[in-house]
Amino acid sequence: MRQMTGDILSVGSELFVYQSNIELKQFSSNRLDLILKSVNLNDSGLYTCMFNDEKLISFLIEILVAPHFVSYYPLEGSISYPEGSSLNLSCHAFAIPSVNISWIFKNKIKHSKSIHHGENLYLTSIQPSDSGLYECVASNMYHASISRAFYVTVQYVPHVLILNDKIRNILHDTVVIKCRVCSIPQVNHIYWFRENQQIIDVNIDIKTQIIDDQCSESLMKIININEYQFGQYECRADNILGYKSDYTSIQQISRIRKVKQKIYTDEINRNGRTALSYNKTQKRKKNQTITTNMVNVVKGALLKCDPAIIQYLIYLDETLAFGEKFILNRLDEQHLFVQSTAVTMIKQKLQEQIDKISYDSTQTK
């Protein structure tokens, strides 16, 4: 008898149900076996063997079912959300015994972390660092785990950063300004403005290149800068979500002039009259520049950078960002000779600037 339904399956050696997967097998006069073949979920339940209305023994049969998903959201494998919105993912699975569901997050650099247990995952105020792969894993102790992955992209307005914070140049010099822009989706345009007017100067060359799937760089080169081109500059970028800007300024500085000096000997009193006499070398050559026999030796490091980074390092030097000046000599537009003790701090400062606009984040919610 199947106790859960009350069905009498057999009496003696005669079957009362006609199911192809149920058989009786007589081993002896006092032993009769019930055989269930190719069992399925409907075969679960309590089976009782009776003799003359006396219960002899009962068997509880539980059919184990491997996990399988019955529903999940979203139906697509990838989905996009705007920055600051809420994220909602779900997956529902069935199994016997019941499953445990956990969520694993993998960011763009393949770092993974378990972030939630349960069928529904809900995050609020998501940021670009929340972009990545969200995997729903269903498992029990009897079967292999199954999983469903969703790739989430967090869209955001452009993040704009001008690497040259403050620039000082002399008249008729060449100035290079670099602007880095990161966004999802990619930017539509990158514009340059001076005093709120879009730049169309003939001596200004603007080039834009794509760095990766999120970031681009715009390089503005002012050749032979004139007195009207000093002032505040704006780098502006837009995409379908909006636009953002960053600002810098170019300040004019005077050219350093070298002045020749004459060398005089000490004053000599003669008959109450004061006279100035040149040394023998100065009698032969007037207006000779000062010379010295002493040599100062300074240990330094040679840095090769693009012009935009050079301008940024000059700004750090002039504002005493490290507590003192560290640039010993600017050799040309791409080379600086700096104190060797400042190299580590320079690397840290440049990394900080890069981190402001890079969202290869390990933060999860």
Side-chain angles (χ1 to χ4, degrees):
M1 177 182 289
R2 183 185 286 134
Q3 290 286 109
M4 299 191 70
T5 61
D7 295 338
I8 296 177
L9 303 179
S10 68
V11 174
S13 59
E14 183 179 356
L15 280 172
F16 272 46
V17 293
Y18 299 97
Q19 294 179 219
S20 60
N21 68 323
I22 298 179
E23 292 181 0
L24 289 173
K25 189 170 185 179
Q26 183 91 40
F27 281 90
S28 62
S29 59
N30 61 351
R31 178 180 171 184
L32 183 65
D33 289 0
L34 178 69
I35 301 173
L36 304 177
K37 297 180 179 180
S38 301
V39 294
N40 56 52
L41 191 58
N42 295 327
D43 295 320
S44 297
L46 186 66
Y47 292 79
T48 301
C49 175
M50 304 181 67
F51 181 74
N52 293 333
D53 294 331
E54 179 185 354
K55 184 183 294 186
L56 298 181
I57 191 170
S58 295
F59 300 92
L60 177 63
I61 297 179
E62 183 179 16
I63 306 300
L64 304 182
V65 179
H68 63 275
F69 288 113
V70 294
S71 65
Y72 45 80
Y73 177 81
L75 298 178
E76 301 82 6
S78 61
I79 190 170
S80 297
Y81 291 90
E83 182 180 18
S85 64
S86 297
L87 177 151
N88 187 15
L89 305 175
S90 66
C91 63
H92 304 273
F94 175 80
I96 298 178
S98 60
V99 296
N100 295 316
I101 293 181
S102 59
W103 290 86
I104 297 174
F105 171 68
K106 296 180 181 179
N107 60 20
K108 290 188 174 181
I109 57 175
K110 307 302 181 182
H111 289 170
S112 61
K113 182 179 181 180
S114 178
I115 58 173
H116 183 67
H117 295 278
E119 294 179 331
N120 299 297
L121 175 65
Y122 186 73
L123 301 177
T124 60
S125 301
I126 57 175
Q127 301 299 315
S129 57
D130 294 315
S131 294
L133 191 71
Y134 292 80
E135 186 176 13
C136 168
V137 181
S139 62
N140 61 18
M141 64 180 69
Y142 292 98
H143 303 92
S145 300
I146 60 173
S147 64
R148 173 75 181 178
F150 308 90
Y151 193 86
V152 173
T153 300
V154 179
Q155 298 180 334
Y156 58 96
V157 297
H159 293 183
V160 183
L161 177 65
I162 294 180
L163 298 181
N164 319 65
D165 192 14
K166 184 180 290 187
I167 308 167
R168 300 172 183 269
N169 279 87
I170 61 175
L171 193 64
H172 305 305
D173 203 353
T174 296
V175 181
V176 177
I177 307 177
K178 181 181 289 187
C179 178
R180 177 168 293 182
V181 178
C182 296
S183 72
I184 296 178
Q186 272 278 10
V187 294
N188 295 328
H189 302 95
I190 301 177
Y191 304 96
W192 287 92
F193 294 85
R194 182 178 63 247
E195 308 298 343
N196 296 321
Q197 298 292 324
Q198 188 168 353
I199 294 174
I200 56 174
D201 305 46
V202 294
N203 67 324
I204 295 182
D205 182 34
I206 298 176
K207 294 182 180 179
T208 301
Q209 62 177 353
I210 297 176
I211 304 301
D212 53 36
D213 60 344
Q214 293 187 35
C215 299
S216 300
E217 281 188 353
S218 179
L219 188 71
M220 180 177 67
K221 186 175 184 180
I222 308 174
I223 302 171
N224 192 22
I225 186 170
N226 60 53
E227 58 184 0
Y228 303 106
Q229 293 175 323
F230 291 95
Q232 186 182 70
Y233 284 78
E234 173 190 359
C235 177
R236 181 188 301 175
D238 63 47
N239 64 8
I240 61 174
L241 299 178
Y243 73 91
K244 285 288 182 67
S245 298
D246 194 20
Y247 301 86
T248 190
S249 61
I250 304 177
Q251 297 181 358
Q252 183 178 0
I253 58 176
S254 301
R255 186 182 298 273
I256 300 175
R257 299 180 62 188
K258 296 182 179 180
V259 180
K260 294 184 178 181
Q261 300 180 358
K262 296 180 180 180
I263 298 179
Y264 297 94
T265 60
D266 295 333
E267 294 184 352
I268 302 174
N269 292 324
R270 296 179 179 174
N271 299 324
R273 294 163 53 188
T274 301
L276 295 177
S277 62
Y278 292 109
N279 60 26
K280 294 181 180 180
T281 304
Q282 292 304 115
K283 289 181 180 179
R284 299 190 190 99
K285 184 177 180 181
K286 296 181 180 180
N287 300 326
Q288 180 179 348
T289 56
I290 300 176
T291 60
T292 178
N293 293 325
M294 299 193 62
V295 177
N296 293 325
V297 178
V298 179
K299 184 178 180 180
L302 179 64
L303 299 185
K304 182 179 180 181
C305 315
D306 61 48
I309 299 297
I310 291 288
Q311 294 296 333
Y312 178 64
L313 295 180
I314 292 174
Y315 166 72
L316 294 179
D317 181 73
E318 293 175 347
T319 57
L320 303 180
F322 302 153
E324 62 179 358
K325 288 184 175 292
F326 60 90
I327 295 180
L328 301 176
N329 198 348
R330 180 180 180 181
L331 303 177
D332 55 38
E333 289 187 1
Q334 291 188 325
H335 294 85
L336 288 179
F337 188 59
V338 302
Q339 294 183 16
S340 56
T341 56
V343 173
T344 300
M345 292 184 288
I346 290 172
K347 291 180 179 179
Q348 292 174 351
K349 278 289 186 181
L350 293 178
Q351 188 61 46
E352 289 173 5
Q353 293 296 325
I354 294 173
D355 289 344
K356 288 181 181 179
I357 57 172
S358 298
Y359 297 95
D360 109 349
S361 163
T362 58
Q363 297 179 2
T364 57
K365 299 188 183 288

